[in-house]
Amino acid sequence: MTNQDKQYDENDICPIKNTLSIIGSKWTLLILRDLADGTKRFSQLQKSLQGISPKTLSSRLRELEKEGILTKKVYPEIPPRVEYSLTSRGESLKKILRCLAEWGKEHFNNG
């Protein structure tokens, strides 16, 4: 940010704060990273996110669905099959993920 950027006080709407209220929870960016590659099932996400509990994964997925970031599709099969994919709003977060990946490559690849 530059000196010309507005400083936000607690009564202002801060776009960074608002964005972090949706994607700032632990595991959320990694869930988005996985869904950026395409539709995934719950078990695929859990396997990719080693260390996340099923309860936490379910909670994060519900929060992202509520915010319109992802969609949940339930197939009427036995056992039920559930798939998660990004909405267009979720797709718009890919640019944030790309920037984070680029920064990580630049600062962590050789050290």
Side-chain angles (χ1 to χ4, degrees), residues 47 58 81:
K47 184 177 181 180
S58 292
R81 178 171 48 116

Side-chain angles (χ1 to χ4, degrees), residues 41 74-83:
R41 294 176 71 175
V74 181
Y75 293 88
E77 302 171 351
I78 298 179
R81 178 171 48 116
V82 180
E83 293 181 340

